[in-house]
Amino acid sequence: MAHQSWSVLDAPNPTYLWTQLLVEELVRNGVHTFFVAPGSRSTPLTVAIARHPEAESVLHVDERGAAFAALGVGRAARGPAAWVTTSGTAVANGLPAAVEASVDGVPMLLLTADRPPELRDTGANQTIDQVKIFGDYVRWQADVPPPSDEVDPAYVLTTADQALHQTLRAPAGPVHVNCMFRKPLEPVETEASVAVPTAVDAWARGTEPYTHYPTPASSPPGPEVDALAETVRGTEHGLVVAGRLDSAAAADATRRLATHLGWPLIPDLTSRLRRGGREQPEQVPYGDLVLTSAAFREGHPPRAVLQVGGRFASKRLRLFLRDSAPEVWAVVRPDPSRIDPDHRVTHHVEAAVPAAVDALVARLEEGPRGTTWRDDWAGASERAGAVVQAHVQESDALTDPLVAALLTEEMPSEHALLAASSMPVRDLNRHAAPSGTGGPAFANRGASGIDGTVATAAGIAEGRDGPVTLLIGDLALQHDLNGLALLQDRPVVAIVVNNDGGGIFHFLPIREHDEFDPYFTTPHGHDFEHAAALFDLPYHRPDSPSALRSAYAQACRSGESALIEVQTDRATNRQVHDRLEASVERAVEEG
């Protein structure tokens, strides 16, 4: 899109001076993507973004979806995108994405327009109380007054700098800047003067932010690392559990820790270690399935657990660790908030993962290269994986576990993976092929909602400037059909497993009760061919594993978005999982 000649201080009135300063300062701080939902009160923000030569605006009619797309950028880029919306209920539509970003530590800028003070609490149209509307879910918030020549415009610059510092410093998360605007909202000349102080004029001639905020280093506390090293020293029966890791450096450090200790490494899907990693004797990629065996669980309780990174998806693993009651359960992550739903954690080291691992390794002797304990875990994982691979190779029908394994086998190296909540993230965590290629895996597991998943995938594609494979269920896709509009310019191959309702409820105790169907199964009777046509997306409906391979490969080669619908049966899906896990249990115990 061509931009007109533009100068940050060339503003027709104080409102546009302020918004142009704000957008320029955000861009100088690395915010380049602005997800804009249409609205009148946000006109000054929208026009300032449209005029800026380096600001990329993404338009989306659904405020909720636009917010999740900004969340996706934050996940992929580890830096914030801006969500821009008008006043009223439009602002409230950002809450689900803000909650997810807050709970899972994702940077995000919520930039909302508001009415001026004289219109608040007066019954004025489209006016609600937006101050602190996101509550404690934001790391910081500012209620910016209407632009005026009586307020030093440097205030706008320092506010932008503080907001971005707060969104990026640990723990990362959303920030809210609520901007009041008076009419006229359009870029028209007014009688109000536009005074620019010397400091702002000097800033305008440069390219640096007004206020620099170096991100504080998250170094591990020496005494705490000493104490942790002392408690695990000499322990052979330990586990390294890798939760969500946001960088290759953190993943490499976690792998190095497991190798140094000689402990089994159980990686979560989002750890960057579950798929595509080099083979190691410590790797236990099928750890969730291994724990289907009661005999294995009873014979292999860990004495120590080092949980690195964020939370992990496997409930089975969590309950196993809870019931094992290890003497030491340490969480290592650059975030002060606890991950301890069962109240078993004995140490919490708040530090960047690479730094914490280096400090811990320096204090610990290298563990044995081969132990019965490590080999038991790795061997059990290999046998579980062989059962999954046999299912993929021998099945003539499309099943949920097969889809998860097949996609991760075939995924091109340039693709990232997004796993929707409910069954997709569980199936991928259990059944993904560890030898497959592909980029990092993401999941909205902070609050584990199904909303905004398609938009999140679009945001990830935007944030990493590369293609994404999305595995999603039918209800989650229905919940975010508007998000398909964002796929027209961003390569996302979306595979929807349509089992006509809430398949996960077949795994919960409610299935034994009369109210199960339809209150929890929620059948809808629809397919998604017309939805794909509505948004001009290529559509495929494979009816066999070979057809799925072909459709997925074709979609990936095209370099464009596509929708692939895999139809399965909910009740049969439960039976497939039961049979598969029974086979894994036998294989683990016979080995």
Side-chain angles (χ1 to χ4, degrees):
M1 176 180 177
H3 289 270
Q4 63 187 57
S5 177
W6 181 89
S7 171
V8 66
L9 298 182
D10 184 14
N13 56 55
T15 294
Y16 276 83
L17 175 64
W18 279 36
T19 54
Q20 289 176 184
L21 292 176
L22 176 60
V23 174
E24 169 66 15
E25 189 69 343
L26 294 177
V27 170
R28 290 191 187 191
N29 278 281
V31 178
H32 294 284
T33 306
F34 296 78
F35 289 92
V36 180
S40 176
R41 188 60 54 166
S42 56
T43 296
L45 290 169
T46 301
V47 172
I49 293 165
R51 289 182 171 183
H52 197 289
E54 297 178 43
E56 179 184 1
S57 58
V58 180
L59 307 181
H60 190 48
V61 68
D62 179 4
E63 293 95 351
R64 184 182 65 179
F68 272 101
L71 169 78
V73 170
R75 282 203 180 281
R78 301 310 302 167
W83 174 68
V84 182
T85 191
T86 192
S87 62
T89 58
V91 178
N93 281 322
L95 180 59
V99 168
E100 177 64 29
S102 179
V103 176
D104 220 18
V106 179
M108 181 181 182
L109 175 62
L110 307 163
L111 195 56
T112 62
D114 199 355
R115 262 51 178 180
E118 63 270 18
L119 293 182
R120 292 179 175 180
D121 198 25
T122 65
N125 185 49
Q126 203 172 324
T127 304
I128 67 171
D129 185 0
Q130 298 175 194
V131 179
K132 298 187 177 181
I133 191 171
F134 299 108
D136 292 337
Y137 288 110
V138 292
R139 301 293 185 259
W140 184 79
Q141 51 199 318
D143 193 29
V144 179
S148 166
D149 60 355
E150 297 177 356
V151 178
D152 189 334
Y155 162 75
V156 179
L157 305 178
T158 62
T159 300
D161 294 331
Q162 173 66 191
L164 292 174
H165 176 61
Q166 292 285 354
T167 194
L168 286 168
R169 72 186 305 273
V175 297
H176 180 205
V177 178
N178 189 56
C179 301
M180 293 181 264
F181 296 119
R182 290 192 176 98
K183 293 183 177 181
L185 302 173
E186 299 74 29
V188 295
E189 297 285 346
T190 65
E191 295 182 359
S193 61
V194 183
V196 178
T198 301
V200 174
D201 184 67
W203 163 88
R205 291 194 298 272
T207 59
E208 292 293 312
Y210 191 84
T211 305
H212 288 269
Y213 282 96
T215 302
S218 182
S219 301
E224 181 66 19
V225 176
D226 289 338
L228 178 57
E230 186 61 32
T231 60
V232 302
R233 182 172 287 113
T235 302
E236 181 180 321
H237 292 181
L239 292 176
V240 175
V241 176
R244 194 198 87 192
L245 298 170
D246 294 324
S247 69
D252 289 342
T254 304
R255 183 189 291 115
R256 189 168 68 252
L257 177 63
T259 300
H260 184 84
L261 292 169
W263 291 1
L265 169 60
I266 304 179
D268 183 74
L269 178 70
T270 60
S271 68
R272 301 172 181 252
L273 296 167
R274 174 66 178 80
R275 305 174 306 115
R278 59 182 182 271
E279 292 186 8
Q280 281 186 281
E282 291 84 12
Q283 290 282 101
V284 185
Y286 293 101
D288 181 281
L289 289 178
V290 166
L291 295 174
T292 59
S293 167
F296 189 91
R297 295 195 305 271
E298 292 169 6
H300 295 81
R303 289 185 54 206
V305 175
L306 295 180
Q307 180 180 337
V308 184
R311 69 185 67 201
F312 50 84
S314 173
K315 180 180 179 181
R316 188 179 285 139
L317 173 60
R318 179 179 67 80
L319 296 180
F320 166 69
L321 297 179
R322 179 200 68 184
D323 295 342
S324 297
E327 298 169 16
V328 179
W329 185 339
V331 172
V332 179
R333 63 194 298 248
D335 192 315
S337 57
R338 59 181 172 175
I339 302 180
D340 188 19
D342 297 306
H343 312 290
R344 295 290 190 273
V345 170
T346 60
H347 299 69
H348 186 122
V349 179
E350 181 186 344
V353 168
V357 167
D358 287 344
L360 194 55
V361 166
R363 290 164 167 82
L364 291 170
E365 303 81 11
E366 195 169 356
R369 294 303 86 208
T371 66
T372 301
W373 167 261
R374 186 199 67 186
D375 294 344
D376 280 354
W377 280 91
S381 180
E382 288 179 8
R383 293 190 293 277
V387 172
V388 174
Q389 287 304 305
H391 176 70
V392 173
Q393 294 165 8
E394 298 169 6
S395 177
D396 295 326
L398 288 166
T399 68
D400 293 41
L402 181 146
V403 171
L406 186 150
L407 288 179
T408 47
E409 283 181 358
E410 303 291 330
M411 186 176 299
S413 58
E414 66 271 17
H415 271 239
L417 174 64
L418 176 62
S421 291
S422 202
M423 287 306 298
V425 69
R426 289 169 170 82
D427 277 322
L428 284 165
N429 194 58
R430 291 168 181 163
H431 307 115
S435 58
T437 60
F442 302 95
N444 283 344
R445 295 296 293 173
S448 298
I450 65 169
D451 40 357
T453 309
V454 179
T456 301
I460 291 172
E462 180 78 27
R464 65 190 303 270
D465 193 22
V468 174
T469 291
L470 165 65
L471 183 60
I472 188 171
D474 51 313
L475 296 185
L477 179 54
Q478 281 200 7
H479 209 274
D480 194 25
L481 281 177
N482 287 340
L484 293 174
L486 290 165
L487 305 193
Q488 294 171 339
D489 301 315
R490 290 157 197 87
V492 175
V493 179
I495 299 91
V496 53
V497 177
N498 185 354
N499 54 28
D500 192 27
I504 194 170
F505 289 99
H506 285 264
F507 294 81
L508 301 179
I510 191 64
R511 71 182 183 276
E512 305 296 338
H513 297 264
D514 292 341
E515 296 82 2
F516 178 56
D517 193 3
Y519 291 99
F520 296 90
T521 58
T522 56
H524 51 81
H526 300 295
D527 62 34
F528 294 95
E529 183 173 5
H530 294 295
L534 176 64
F535 293 101
D536 298 321
L537 296 174
Y539 174 81
H540 310 268
R541 190 189 295 171
D543 57 3
S544 68
S546 61
L548 175 58
R549 289 182 191 271
S550 177
Y552 180 59
Q554 177 184 340
C556 292
R557 284 196 303 269
S558 75
E560 299 178 349
S561 293
L563 182 61
I564 301 174
E565 182 169 357
V566 177
Q567 294 188 333
T568 64
D569 179 83
R570 278 185 280 106
T572 301
N573 176 51
R574 171 62 194 264
Q575 296 167 8
V576 168
H577 279 80
D578 287 348
R579 289 196 299 269
L580 194 60
E581 293 190 359
S583 296
V584 168
E585 183 177 12
R586 287 194 299 273
V588 168
E589 293 177 1
E590 290 171 0

